[in-house]
Amino acid sequence: GDDAAIADALNEVSCKFQMPVFPTASPYVLSIGGEMWEVNSKHPVTWAGYGGGSGAGFSIQFEAPPHQQSSTTVSDYLQKPGMPPASSFNAKNRAYPDMSAVGVMGTSQSCPISAGIWSLITDIRLNKGLPPLGFVAPRLWQVAEEYPGEAFEDIIGGDSNTSCSNGFPATDGWDANTGFGRPIWDGFVKHFADDDVHA
């Protein structure tokens, strides 16, 4: 019926333009992607399938924030093979996600998991007499770039194509599918629950 035709048309547009979603594409939030496991938790890949996938790509509205503009991380990623057509996204805009956690039926699970981890970090900081982190994305990018493998475990495998013919692949380092990867608790405590390393 008409509903199916509308759904097909929307899906076609979404695939053609790597349709970004809101608010995760906003530069004013911490964007969270999704992971799932192949065999067990030691083999994470991007969350895809079961009717959806990890949010991925570039904002259609907001330019890249300063912590992305001053970095080559995103441009380095876009030089890797398997990218969707350059005409389907704006590489100068806010790239997302920043990090990932386990997603089931979407990032509606990975986001609260991440929020819980950040609240535990905030609790440690407050008990040390330190202020809350505030907007953490710039520090997250700095930590991930300067101390690779300490605060985030890279997620390699899968892509965001779901029902499309192309999508953003999950590769080594930051990618527009799982961000810098999933949290490593000891690294989070070292780099975010204390300011000694980043004084």
Side-chain angles (χ1 to χ4, degrees), residues 10-153:
L10 289 174
N11 192 58
E12 182 179 343
V13 171
S14 180
C15 290
K16 183 177 180 180
F17 296 106
Q18 306 297 322
M19 194 61 74
V21 293
F22 188 85
T24 195
S26 168
Y28 305 107
V29 301
L30 191 64
S31 177
I32 311 299
E35 65 162 292
M36 63 183 190
W37 301 338
E38 283 189 343
V39 182
N40 57 45
S41 62
K42 295 180 180 180
H43 302 94
V45 295
T46 188
W47 185 84
Y50 311 105
S54 179
F58 295 79
S59 173
I60 202 168
Q61 180 179 8
F62 299 102
E63 68 177 18
H67 61 271
Q68 290 185 350
Q69 292 181 19
S70 62
S71 166
T72 64
T73 295
V74 175
S75 58
D76 290 347
Y77 167 70
L78 292 174
Q79 299 304 310
K80 296 175 182 178
M83 296 296 152
S87 60
S88 68
F89 60 94
N90 186 341
K92 294 182 179 179
N93 280 359
R94 193 273 204 255
Y96 71 96
D98 300 306
M99 58 177 282
S100 289
V102 176
V104 175
M105 298 305 291
T107 53
S108 297
Q109 175 169 307
S110 59
C111 289
I113 288 173
S114 299
I117 292 170
W118 287 110
S119 69
L120 291 172
I121 293 296
T122 299
D123 184 63
I124 295 172
R125 290 180 64 84
L126 294 177
N127 278 291
K128 289 181 176 181
L130 296 171
L133 284 166
F135 182 52
V136 74
R139 183 156 165 176
L140 183 154
W141 277 67
Q142 177 190 10
V143 167
E145 291 172 337
E146 294 181 6
Y147 304 91
E150 289 193 17
F152 296 95
E153 180 183 352

Side-chain angles (χ1 to χ4, degrees), residues 115-192:
I117 292 170
W118 287 110
S119 69
L120 291 172
I121 293 296
T122 299
D123 184 63
I124 295 172
R125 290 180 64 84
L126 294 177
N127 278 291
K128 289 181 176 181
L130 296 171
L133 284 166
F135 182 52
V136 74
R139 183 156 165 176
L140 183 154
W141 277 67
Q142 177 190 10
V143 167
E145 291 172 337
E146 294 181 6
Y147 304 91
E150 289 193 17
F152 296 95
E153 180 183 352
D154 203 2
I155 297 174
I156 302 172
D159 59 43
S160 64
N161 69 11
T162 58
S163 61
C164 303
S165 62
N166 59 74
F168 292 102
T171 66
D172 58 303
W174 181 89
D175 60 71
N177 211 326
T178 60
F180 286 107
R182 62 183 181 179
I184 297 173
W185 177 249
D186 288 346
F188 258 50
V189 171
K190 174 182 176 181
H191 291 287
F192 299 109

